[in-house]
PDB file of all heavy atoms in Angstrom:
ATOM      1  N   ALA A 264      23.451   9.987  -2.285  1.00 65.00           N
ATOM      2  CA  ALA A 264      23.300   8.547  -2.095  1.00 65.00           C
ATOM      3  C   ALA A 264      22.284   8.281  -0.994  1.00 65.00           C
ATOM      4  O   ALA A 264      22.138   9.068  -0.067  1.00 65.00           O
ATOM      5  CB  ALA A 264      24.635   7.927  -1.739  1.00 65.00           C
ATOM      6  N   LEU A 269      17.417  -1.367   0.939  1.00 97.00           N
ATOM      7  CA  LEU A 269      16.570  -2.472   1.371  1.00 97.00           C
ATOM      8  C   LEU A 269      16.424  -3.450   0.219  1.00 97.00           C
ATOM      9  O   LEU A 269      16.344  -3.041  -0.940  1.00 97.00           O
ATOM     10  CB  LEU A 269      15.209  -1.911   1.776  1.00 97.00           C
ATOM     11  CG  LEU A 269      14.206  -2.810   2.479  1.00 97.00           C
ATOM     12  CD1 LEU A 269      13.402  -1.986   3.482  1.00 97.00           C
ATOM     13  CD2 LEU A 269      13.237  -3.447   1.496  1.00 97.00           C
ATOM     14  N   LEU A 300      -6.582   9.430   6.546  1.00 98.00           N
ATOM     15  CA  LEU A 300      -6.369   8.787   7.844  1.00 98.00           C
ATOM     16  C   LEU A 300      -5.371   7.667   7.637  1.00 98.00           C
ATOM     17  O   LEU A 300      -5.322   7.072   6.559  1.00 98.00           O
ATOM     18  CB  LEU A 300      -7.683   8.186   8.380  1.00 98.00           C
ATOM     19  CG  LEU A 300      -8.900   9.096   8.480  1.00 98.00           C
ATOM     20  CD1 LEU A 300     -10.146   8.275   8.771  1.00 98.00           C
ATOM     21  CD2 LEU A 300      -8.710  10.132   9.569  1.00 98.00           C
ATOM     22  N   SER A 302      -2.702   4.570   9.953  1.00 94.00           N
ATOM     23  CA  SER A 302      -2.140   4.046  11.196  1.00 94.00           C
ATOM     24  C   SER A 302      -0.708   4.524  11.338  1.00 94.00           C
ATOM     25  O   SER A 302       0.029   4.585  10.352  1.00 94.00           O
ATOM     26  CB  SER A 302      -2.149   2.517  11.184  1.00 94.00           C
ATOM     27  OG  SER A 302      -3.455   2.037  11.078  1.00 94.00           O
ATOM     28  N   TYR A 304       3.095   3.784  12.985  1.00 86.00           N
ATOM     29  CA  TYR A 304       3.841   2.544  13.142  1.00 86.00           C
ATOM     30  C   TYR A 304       3.599   1.936  14.513  1.00 86.00           C
ATOM     31  O   TYR A 304       3.648   2.636  15.524  1.00 86.00           O
ATOM     32  CB  TYR A 304       5.328   2.781  12.906  1.00 86.00           C
ATOM     33  CG  TYR A 304       5.624   3.181  11.484  1.00 86.00           C
ATOM     34  CD1 TYR A 304       6.130   4.434  11.176  1.00 86.00           C
ATOM     35  CD2 TYR A 304       5.339   2.301  10.431  1.00 86.00           C
ATOM     36  CE1 TYR A 304       6.365   4.808   9.860  1.00 86.00           C
ATOM     37  CE2 TYR A 304       5.581   2.662   9.123  1.00 86.00           C
ATOM     38  CZ  TYR A 304       6.085   3.910   8.839  1.00 86.00           C
ATOM     39  OH  TYR A 304       6.302   4.268   7.539  1.00 86.00           O
ATOM     40  N   LYS A 330      -6.631  19.312   5.609  1.00 97.00           N
ATOM     41  CA  LYS A 330      -5.689  20.415   5.830  1.00 97.00           C
ATOM     42  C   LYS A 330      -5.616  21.307   4.590  1.00 97.00           C
ATOM     43  O   LYS A 330      -5.661  20.818   3.459  1.00 97.00           O
ATOM     44  CB  LYS A 330      -4.290  19.865   6.126  1.00 97.00           C
ATOM     45  CG  LYS A 330      -4.171  19.188   7.473  1.00 97.00           C
ATOM     46  CD  LYS A 330      -2.774  18.592   7.671  1.00 97.00           C
ATOM     47  CE  LYS A 330      -2.695  17.882   9.018  1.00 97.00           C
ATOM     48  NZ  LYS A 330      -1.422  17.177   9.192  1.00 97.00           N
ATOM     49  N   ILE A 363     -11.003  -2.354  -5.158  1.00 96.00           N
ATOM     50  CA  ILE A 363     -12.420  -1.977  -5.226  1.00 96.00           C
ATOM     51  C   ILE A 363     -13.271  -2.699  -4.185  1.00 96.00           C
ATOM     52  O   ILE A 363     -14.245  -2.152  -3.675  1.00 96.00           O
ATOM     53  CB  ILE A 363     -12.973  -2.200  -6.656  1.00 96.00           C
ATOM     54  CG1 ILE A 363     -14.373  -1.582  -6.764  1.00 96.00           C
ATOM     55  CG2 ILE A 363     -12.969  -3.664  -7.031  1.00 96.00           C
ATOM     56  CD1 ILE A 363     -14.856  -1.378  -8.163  1.00 96.00           C
ATOM     57  N   LYS A 383     -20.900   9.007   1.733  1.00 98.00           N
ATOM     58  CA  LYS A 383     -22.226   8.464   2.058  1.00 98.00           C
ATOM     59  C   LYS A 383     -22.152   6.943   1.952  1.00 98.00           C
ATOM     60  O   LYS A 383     -21.720   6.412   0.922  1.00 98.00           O
ATOM     61  CB  LYS A 383     -23.284   9.038   1.118  1.00 98.00           C
ATOM     62  CG  LYS A 383     -23.446  10.546   1.277  1.00 98.00           C
ATOM     63  CD  LYS A 383     -24.584  11.100   0.469  1.00 98.00           C
ATOM     64  CE  LYS A 383     -24.615  12.612   0.508  1.00 98.00           C
ATOM     65  NZ  LYS A 383     -25.092  13.173   1.746  1.00 98.00           N
ATOM     66  N   THR A 398      -6.264   2.499   3.992  1.00 96.00           N
ATOM     67  CA  THR A 398      -5.693   1.458   3.126  1.00 96.00           C
ATOM     68  C   THR A 398      -5.371   2.031   1.747  1.00 96.00           C
ATOM     69  O   THR A 398      -5.593   3.222   1.482  1.00 96.00           O
ATOM     70  CB  THR A 398      -6.682   0.298   2.934  1.00 96.00           C
ATOM     71  OG1 THR A 398      -7.802   0.774   2.155  1.00 96.00           O
ATOM     72  CG2 THR A 398      -7.165  -0.254   4.264  1.00 96.00           C
ATOM     73  N   TYR A 449       5.885  17.154   3.091  1.00 97.00           N
ATOM     74  CA  TYR A 449       4.941  16.179   3.658  1.00 97.00           C
ATOM     75  C   TYR A 449       4.262  16.753   4.904  1.00 97.00           C
ATOM     76  O   TYR A 449       4.926  17.287   5.796  1.00 97.00           O
ATOM     77  CB  TYR A 449       5.684  14.892   4.007  1.00 97.00           C
ATOM     78  CG  TYR A 449       4.831  13.850   4.694  1.00 97.00           C
ATOM     79  CD1 TYR A 449       3.749  13.257   4.035  1.00 97.00           C
ATOM     80  CD2 TYR A 449       5.093  13.449   6.007  1.00 97.00           C
ATOM     81  CE1 TYR A 449       2.966  12.294   4.663  1.00 97.00           C
ATOM     82  CE2 TYR A 449       4.311  12.491   6.638  1.00 97.00           C
ATOM     83  CZ  TYR A 449       3.251  11.925   5.965  1.00 97.00           C
ATOM     84  OH  TYR A 449       2.467  10.975   6.585  1.00 97.00           O
ATOM     85  N   GLY A 454       5.178  12.576  10.015  1.00 94.00           N
ATOM     86  CA  GLY A 454       6.230  13.581  10.168  1.00 94.00           C
ATOM     87  C   GLY A 454       7.282  13.446   9.072  1.00 94.00           C
ATOM     88  O   GLY A 454       7.265  12.517   8.278  1.00 94.00           O
ATOM     89  N   GLY A 478      26.265 -10.836   2.379  1.00 93.00           N
ATOM     90  CA  GLY A 478      27.497 -10.229   1.874  1.00 93.00           C
ATOM     91  C   GLY A 478      27.596  -8.738   2.105  1.00 93.00           C
ATOM     92  O   GLY A 478      28.608  -8.119   1.755  1.00 93.00           O
ATOM     93  N   MET A 515      -0.712 -25.121   6.027  1.00 88.00           N
ATOM     94  CA  MET A 515      -0.784 -26.250   5.101  1.00 88.00           C
ATOM     95  C   MET A 515      -2.249 -26.611   4.898  1.00 88.00           C
ATOM     96  O   MET A 515      -3.050 -26.553   5.832  1.00 88.00           O
ATOM     97  CB  MET A 515      -0.028 -27.457   5.659  1.00 88.00           C
ATOM     98  CG  MET A 515       1.454 -27.210   5.812  1.00 88.00           C
ATOM     99  SD  MET A 515       2.298 -28.614   6.575  1.00 88.00           S
ATOM    100  CE  MET A 515       2.262 -29.791   5.241  1.00 88.00           C
ATOM    101  N   ASP A 520     -10.013 -35.315  -0.748  1.00 75.00           N
ATOM    102  CA  ASP A 520     -10.607 -36.005  -1.899  1.00 75.00           C
ATOM    103  C   ASP A 520      -9.548 -36.440  -2.914  1.00 75.00           C
ATOM    104  O   ASP A 520      -9.867 -36.840  -4.018  1.00 75.00           O
ATOM    105  CB  ASP A 520     -11.623 -35.092  -2.594  1.00 75.00           C
ATOM    106  CG  ASP A 520     -12.900 -34.966  -1.774  1.00 75.00           C
ATOM    107  OD1 ASP A 520     -13.117 -35.825  -0.907  1.00 75.00           O
ATOM    108  OD2 ASP A 520     -13.665 -34.012  -2.004  1.00 75.00           O
TER     109      ASP A 520
END
Side-chain angles (χ1 to χ4, degrees):
L269 190 146
L300 306 169
S302 299
Y304 295 115
K330 290 177 182 174
I363 190 163
K383 296 186 187 285
T398 68
Y449 176 64
M515 296 176 72
D520 286 341

